[in-house]
Amino acid sequence: MDGLYLSLVTIIYSLAVSAFPTESFLIKTLLWIVKFGGCLYLLWLFMKRWSDRLDTITYSQSYNYGFAVCLLSSVMCACYSYAQVEWIFPGQTEEAITLVKETMVQQGTLNSSTEEMLNSYFNNVGRITMFVSLVYYTLFGSIAAAIT
């Protein structure tokens, strides 16, 4: 359950940023800092709560539990990122695709082979996003579990 709670911080942050887009760098940065701090604090809290149940605990045991929590959270966040791109906000992806193609047309770099490659990429953008998110969140979780 701890991994689910940890993933909710990132999911709520992603949902808020996508649902209420802003151009303000300051607001985006402050929201990201709150999310980052919230995730680290929750992970620390979960690891501390788990270690309090045991008489003695080694660093390895604590790290393994923190990593397991982060791994579950990573899977949940990666699945959410797939859902966000494919079903929740597909219009944002389509806008990005259109913008990339328009820019390439203006630069004169869009030919049939480039457009075919872009279409194959954009047809798989949900799966690519999910995989990259899974790797990113897992690596971040591994480092966070080691330092908390």
Side-chain angles (χ1 to χ4, degrees):
M1 283 305 284
D2 291 345
L4 177 63
Y5 295 135
L6 186 61
S7 68
L8 283 177
V9 174
T10 299
I11 291 171
I12 290 170
Y13 165 80
S14 297
L15 192 59
V17 168
S18 296
F20 308 108
T22 180
E23 297 298 320
S24 172
F25 176 76
L26 180 64
I27 292 173
K28 286 180 182 179
T29 303
L30 287 175
L31 285 174
W32 185 86
I33 289 170
V34 168
K35 177 198 77 124
F36 182 75
C39 286
L40 288 178
Y41 175 75
L42 272 179
L43 181 60
W44 173 82
L45 186 68
F46 294 148
M47 290 173 70
K48 179 168 177 22
R49 193 176 65 194
W50 181 76
S51 66
D52 286 344
R53 294 184 210 161
L54 305 172
D55 292 335
T56 60
I57 187 167
T58 65
Y59 175 79
S60 176
Q61 290 171 318
S62 179
Y63 172 79
N64 288 340
Y65 178 75
F67 182 75
V69 168
C70 290
L71 186 60
L72 175 61
S73 177
S74 298
V75 170
M76 298 299 297
C77 289
C79 290
Y80 171 76
S81 67
Y82 177 81
Q84 183 178 12
V85 168
E86 292 292 325
W87 302 311
I88 300 173
F89 297 110
Q92 290 178 345
T93 304
E94 292 168 10
E95 288 175 18
I97 293 168
T98 304
L99 182 63
V100 167
K101 286 184 178 180
E102 287 175 358
T103 302
M104 292 182 79
V105 165
Q106 290 173 355
Q107 293 174 346
T109 57
L110 186 66
N111 55 36
S112 61
S113 64
T114 307
E115 187 169 12
E116 184 180 313
M117 186 265 317
L118 283 174
N119 287 335
S120 69
Y121 169 76
F122 289 131
N123 288 336
N124 295 309
V125 74
R127 288 182 286 265
I128 293 168
T129 300
M130 185 173 73
F131 176 75
V132 169
S133 296
L134 181 63
V135 170
Y136 169 76
Y137 290 130
T138 301
L139 289 175
F140 175 76
S142 176
I143 294 168
I147 64 174
T148 50

